[in-house]
Amino acid sequence: MRASGQRHGTDVLVVVTGGTTGWGAAARELTAALAGAGARVEMVSTGPSPRVRTFMLTDLTEAWMARRATVRAIAAFRPAAIIYCSITAGLLWPRPGAVWLDAIAAENRPGRHGLWQRLMERRRLVQAPLILTMAPNSLVSLRGRPHAETVEVPVAIESSGPPAAHRDVDVLAYTGDPIKRRLDVILAAWERARRGDETLVVAGLESADDIPGVRFAGRLGAQEYRDLLRRCRVFVAAPRREDFGIAALEALADGCQLVTTPSPGPYPALGLARRLDPRLISEDLAPALRIALDDPAPQYAARARELLAPFRRSSVQETLSRSVLPRLLPGWNP
């Protein structure tokens, strides 16, 4: 239900930078959930940002593009409230708004890479009317520094459909960025773990290399990728750092076992995977892969569905309706 009284324009403006596919998908989910909760909502994206040489300049470029997009959207939609998707989107905001974040620059922009970002984000995290965290430990790097009130709002994750009648894909990895996703670690582990004609499918990357037992699927459409997940027995990941980890959560939602390194970052799927089968969490992925393939834990997929309940769209929509919109829109009644 909308706020009581007469209101003109949009209730909530969602602002997202176009730097990553993940943030675009997350912002669309948030926009849909806000609309499902009854809010009048508009989303604006900066579009792709130009490639520049350093992290500092990348963040400056994206923050400036977000500022310009927000100024135009404020004039067009007259929003009562704004939600900036990522701390970067809000660093140069023209008007205060809530910030939805997976992690902060204090954690993922250490040293010289985040000299100006860390300073600005400390201000924004105090000035924001509300901080929406994707995971319970999204703000752990603040180490007790002051910040605005927080509400946990994960990205909504749902199963993409019924599982395939036969899971004919042994192991799947998503490595759109092979450096950040440590494809070399995954391939080395698979070389030791593989038996017979077992195959690792690598999605998100083209390769001309002919590697025994490895098939590169290239870049797939969203539905094609989720169809592949539902045919998969095991999803393997070895990120250098994982801020949220949509791919791992989607794998759990579609019934895959998750084999992963205990990578740093908020990484909510890591906590779920530990509860489902701690044998599959290891710096040495080869034995963990063999356990998943040879000795899977009973009822793994069913238990994963239960643990993913807080990530369902209905749960996220309820949180927005009861805990977010009343704080952003005076007079809002869920």
Side-chain angles (χ1 to χ4, degrees), residues 118-135:
R118 295 193 301 271
L119 176 64
M120 288 300 297
E121 82 175 359
R122 286 199 293 271
R123 298 177 186 174
R124 296 298 185 246
L125 293 176
V126 172
Q127 296 165 341
L130 191 65
I131 301 171
L132 313 180
T133 61
M134 289 188 182

Side-chain angles (χ1 to χ4, degrees), residues 2 49 64 97 168 197 200 217 254 278 285 308 315:
R2 293 190 178 94
S49 58
W64 182 248
D168 59 339
D197 60 354
L200 164 68
D254 279 333
L285 292 174
L308 285 166
S315 179

Side-chain angles (χ1 to χ4, degrees), residues 93-119:
W93 66 25
R95 176 177 139 189
V99 179
W100 190 35
L101 53 82
D102 49 3
I104 59 177
E107 191 165 357
N108 59 27
R109 289 290 189 265
R112 62 182 177 82
H113 297 296
L115 288 174
W116 76 272
Q117 302 98 307
R118 295 193 301 271
L119 176 64

Side-chain angles (χ1 to χ4, degrees), residues 266-276 307:
Y267 199 5
L270 178 60
L272 301 184
R274 282 198 174 107
R275 294 173 64 182
L276 290 165
L307 293 177

Side-chain angles (χ1 to χ4, degrees), residues 189-204:
W190 183 241
E191 184 179 14
R192 291 188 291 123
R194 178 177 179 249
R195 293 178 185 168
D197 60 354
E198 291 173 337
T199 300
L200 164 68
V201 177
V202 178

Side-chain angles (χ1 to χ4, degrees), residues 130-147:
L130 191 65
I131 301 171
L132 313 180
T133 61
M134 289 188 182
N137 54 344
S138 290
L139 296 180
V140 66
S141 295
L142 284 180
R143 297 181 177 87
R145 290 191 179 96
H147 58 76

Side-chain angles (χ1 to χ4, degrees), residues 134-189:
M134 289 188 182
N137 54 344
S138 290
L139 296 180
V140 66
S141 295
L142 284 180
R143 297 181 177 87
R145 290 191 179 96
H147 58 76
E149 181 184 9
T150 65
V151 175
E152 186 177 338
V153 182
V155 180
I157 303 291
E158 295 279 357
S159 168
S160 62
H166 174 60
R167 290 189 177 266
D168 59 339
V169 177
D170 298 305
V171 182
L172 175 67
Y174 177 80
T175 58
D177 185 327
I179 304 300
K180 290 182 179 179
R181 300 293 159 192
R182 296 202 298 174
L183 176 59
D184 57 336
V185 172
I186 293 172
L187 292 178

